[in-house]
């Protein structure tokens, strides 16, 4: 009886056990294949994303490189321009002492270099055309600094050197040991011009000692300077 009761109890327990969970209707090999496909798609997506980011990064680097190259080119152009600007100014500051001009274009009261000296032309005459077909011009000039007379003869078609001449006006501040102490409009002093010899120098000294305010004209050519004239400054009201 005891054995029968125990057998019935085991049967009841077996009947009350939870049935096992039903598996998927798909075969296991198809499930595995689907899972692998999902994994493959995920990996491909990540790979594309990585490549896209890398491409964008490369594009960004390329664009940055182009921008830097362009900036460098602009900087080089500016430097060249600056250099070009710095070379042009330098040439202006150190301009040639002379410039060429055809002899036939020279005129009386103009200037020309004769025997290496800057001269004012006081006389010109043209000779008859020779057998070679070139007329010649006789030039007579007076040195603008020492007053000496010079002559030259040149074919009319040849170039002559003409001096670059500058004039500037200064206020006479003092006369020290036969040198003029001068001041320009900007207040800059100049003390390397000698008092002219002869009547001009004497008149400048006399009028200055009389208390007159004098404006002296300084002529510069061929690296030489000289006082060539003066006048009394207008009186301020």
């Amino acid at each position: 009886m005891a054995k029968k009761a125990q057998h019935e109890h085991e049967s009841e327990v077996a009947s009350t056990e939870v049935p096992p969970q039903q598996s998927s209707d798909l075969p296991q090999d198809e499930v595995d294949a689907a899972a692998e496909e999902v994994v493959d798609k995920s990996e491909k997506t990540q790979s594309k994303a990585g490549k896209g980011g890398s491409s964008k990064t490369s594009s960004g680097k390329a664009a940055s490189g182009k921008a830097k190259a362009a900036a460098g080119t602009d900087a080089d152009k500016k430097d060249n321009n600056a250099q070009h600007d710095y070379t042009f100014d330098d040439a202006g500051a150190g301009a040639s002492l002379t410039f060429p001009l055809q002899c036939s274009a020279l005129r009386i009261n103009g200037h020309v270099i004769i025997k290496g000296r800057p001269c004012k032309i006081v006389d010109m005459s043209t000779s008859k055309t020779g057998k070679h077909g070139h007329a010649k011009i006789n030039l007579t000039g007076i040195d603008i600094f020492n007053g000496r007379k010079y002559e030259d003869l040149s074919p009319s078609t040849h170039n002559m050197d003409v001096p670059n001449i500058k004039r500037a006006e200064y206020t006479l501040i003092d006369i020290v040991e036969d040198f003029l102490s001068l001041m320009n409009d900007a207040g800059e002093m100049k003390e390397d011009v000698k008092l002219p010899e002869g009547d001009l120098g004497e008149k400048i000294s006399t009028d200055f000692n009389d208390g007159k305010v004098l404006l002296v004209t300084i002529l510069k050519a061929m690296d030489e300077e000289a006082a060539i004239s003066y006048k009394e400054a207008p009186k301020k009201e």
Side-chain angles (χ1 to χ4, degrees), residues 182-198:
L182 306 166
M183 183 177 68
N184 64 11
D185 293 338
E188 299 171 340
M189 298 299 297
K190 182 177 182 62
E191 299 176 328
D192 57 353
V193 178
K194 291 192 67 174
L195 178 69
E197 297 178 356

Side-chain angles (χ1 to χ4, degrees), residues 6-36:
Q6 183 177 0
H7 179 72
E8 291 177 355
H9 176 69
E10 290 177 355
S11 299
E12 291 177 358
V13 170
S15 63
T16 57
E17 287 181 357
V18 178
Q21 185 176 0
Q22 294 182 354
S23 60
S24 172
D25 294 338
L26 295 174
Q28 185 62 37
D29 56 348
E30 293 185 6
V31 172
D32 294 339
E36 290 179 359

Side-chain angles (χ1 to χ4, degrees), residues 96-107 110-121 123-125 135-141 150-164 222:
S96 175
L97 299 176
T98 64
F99 62 92
L101 185 65
Q102 189 167 304
C103 187
S104 60
L106 296 172
R107 297 289 183 269
H111 296 87
V112 69
I113 300 294
I114 302 179
K115 311 298 182 184
R117 297 296 303 170
C119 297
K120 182 177 181 179
I121 302 171
D123 187 44
M124 292 180 65
S125 61
K136 292 188 177 181
I137 297 179
N138 294 287
L139 296 168
T140 302
Y150 292 92
E151 294 182 351
D152 198 1
L153 179 66
S154 174
S156 61
T157 56
H158 285 196
N159 283 341
M160 299 282 289
D161 286 331
V162 176
N164 278 311
M222 302 292 291

Side-chain angles (χ1 to χ4, degrees), residues 35-57:
E36 290 179 359
E37 185 178 356
V38 171
V39 172
D40 288 342
K41 288 182 178 180
S42 176
E43 290 178 351
K44 289 180 179 179
T45 302
Q46 292 178 357
S47 176
K48 288 181 179 179
K51 289 181 180 179
S54 176
S55 176
K56 289 180 180 179
T57 303

